Amino acid sequence: MSPIAPDSELLRTEPGAPHTEAPLFDILATVPTILGHWRVVIGVPSALLIAALVFVLLRTPTYVATTSFLQSTKTTPGLPSGLSGLANQFGLSTTNLTQESPQLYADLARTREVLNELLQSRYLRSRGDSIVLLHELVPKNLDSDRRVYRGEQRLRDATSIVVNQRTGVVQISVSADDPVLAAGIANRYVEALNRFNLERRRTQEGERRRFLEGRTLDALRDLRSAEDELKGFLLHNRSFQDSPQLQFEKGRLGRRVSMAQELYTMLDRNYENARIEEINDTQVTTQVERSVLPV
């Protein structure tokens, strides 16, 4: 009689046979656990969804106001070519403002001088009241230096500046939680940049005017000296026509007077122009698009 195989041999499966009972068992085993914590499973996603909805509903809306400007084509009268080199020797600038790159204004708008002017200015808001921008952006519990520094950072972050190098148009966009405030800040940027350019132009014209004033006085003294010398020659040589040497001397003195007269006339004309430009308040920048209330 042949031996009977033990139970272990009868139940043994061949290697590689699929085993499908364990995964199904594992999934079913977790069902009681999930049902036992149904409040957590349903409550956590629901709470996150409600929190997201509340954040969206309560979040303060942001308004973006945009303005753009172009450098004015108005030119400042320059020095004559013969005097430009002399002015440069004295360290005086003779460059016209219209030759500057529009990138200058973008960089200037980010300087502390312009930002501080905007921060200390007062602006209207849509509800009818007015505020100082620094008080709106930075809490009052900080010391003055830290408040200004923090205000500059926040204003820079709220400002976007784009320069079109092809057309020369500079576009400034400002974001704020109030549409009237955003538009006011954007327009104030252009006002601050134009005021800076006016002051700098007056400084340049002041230097130019003082330089020309000194040269004009020197030219006038040279003219008077040449005229006196010619006058003295004529008084002492009434019959100079009879002498070739005296005729030559008279011609030389006459040419000296003519040259001195031309130089004085040219300098005096440019000096008068410089005096006018020094007090000229014509805007250097032209606002192409004034910022209106954003929607």
Side-chain angles (χ1 to χ4, degrees):
M1 180 181 294
S2 59
I4 298 176
D7 295 341
S8 61
E9 292 293 337
L10 295 175
L11 299 174
R12 185 174 58 187
T13 59
E14 295 183 2
H19 188 72
T20 60
E21 295 181 0
L24 178 60
F25 175 79
D26 293 341
I27 294 174
L28 294 176
T30 60
V31 172
T33 304
I34 295 174
L35 294 177
H37 299 82
W38 65 272
R39 291 183 177 86
V40 177
V41 174
I42 298 177
V44 172
S46 300
L48 293 177
L49 179 60
I50 293 173
L53 291 175
V54 171
F55 174 77
V56 172
L57 293 175
L58 297 181
R59 185 182 61 177
T60 303
T62 300
Y63 302 90
V64 179
T66 301
T67 183
S68 58
F69 64 91
L70 180 68
Q71 187 180 10
S72 176
T73 56
K74 181 181 182 299
T75 57
T76 301
L79 291 176
S81 58
L83 294 178
S84 297
L86 184 60
N88 291 330
Q89 293 180 5
F90 287 91
L92 300 179
S93 175
T94 60
T95 304
N96 287 339
L97 293 175
T98 52
Q99 297 177 351
E100 295 168 347
S101 168
Q103 184 62 41
L104 169 68
Y105 299 97
D107 297 337
L108 182 60
R110 298 185 178 95
T111 60
R112 300 195 65 183
E113 181 177 355
V114 173
L115 293 176
N116 283 332
E117 179 176 343
L118 268 67
L119 289 173
Q120 302 297 337
S121 299
R122 182 172 291 274
Y123 303 87
L124 292 174
R125 291 194 291 192
S126 56
R127 58 192 182 190
D129 61 337
S130 63
I131 52 96
V132 175
L133 185 58
L134 181 62
H135 300 166
E136 178 74 6
L137 296 179
V138 185
K140 296 182 179 181
N141 56 353
L142 299 177
D143 59 81
S144 59
D145 292 338
R146 291 184 61 188
R147 288 189 68 196
V148 172
Y149 178 74
R150 186 75 58 84
E152 292 173 359
Q153 287 183 317
R154 297 197 61 182
L155 184 53
R156 285 193 184 99
D157 294 338
T159 303
S160 173
I161 303 176
V162 179
V163 178
N164 190 323
Q165 297 292 349
R166 183 175 60 86
T167 62
V169 175
V170 181
Q171 184 182 79
I172 299 180
S173 300
V174 178
S175 59
D177 58 2
D178 185 285
V180 177
L181 176 61
I185 297 174
N187 291 324
R188 192 64 59 88
Y189 263 112
V190 180
E191 295 173 6
L193 292 174
N194 187 67
R195 183 160 42 253
F196 175 86
N197 281 328
L198 286 176
E199 292 175 357
R200 186 177 60 156
R201 185 179 68 183
R202 288 169 181 169
T203 300
Q204 281 187 321
E205 290 301 331
E207 294 177 350
R208 181 170 175 269
R209 188 261 307 161
R210 287 188 290 273
F211 171 78
L212 288 171
E213 184 178 19
R215 291 292 300 136
T216 302
L217 292 176
D218 292 340
L220 180 60
R221 284 192 290 268
D222 292 341
L223 175 60
R224 294 289 182 262
S225 176
E227 290 174 341
D228 291 341
E229 188 172 356
L230 177 60
K231 179 181 178 180
F233 174 85
L234 294 176
L235 290 175
H236 293 86
N237 300 278
R238 297 181 181 274
S239 302
F240 68 90
Q241 296 89 348
D242 299 334
S243 172
Q245 182 177 358
L246 293 179
Q247 289 182 11
F248 176 81
E249 184 66 15
K250 191 265 181 183
R252 184 184 67 81
L253 295 175
R255 288 191 299 272
R256 180 184 171 189
V257 171
S258 298
M259 293 179 60
Q261 180 65 52
E262 291 178 3
L263 178 60
Y264 170 74
T265 302
M266 179 186 63
L267 288 170
D268 186 63
R269 182 172 59 250
N270 282 274
Y271 170 63
E272 291 299 325
N273 289 334
R275 291 179 60 187
I276 294 173
E277 288 299 324
E278 188 177 9
I279 60 175
N280 188 5
D281 60 354
T282 304
Q283 292 187 356
V284 182
T285 58
T286 301
Q287 194 165 7
V288 178
E289 181 182 12
R290 184 172 177 83
S291 179
V292 296
L293 297 185
V295 295

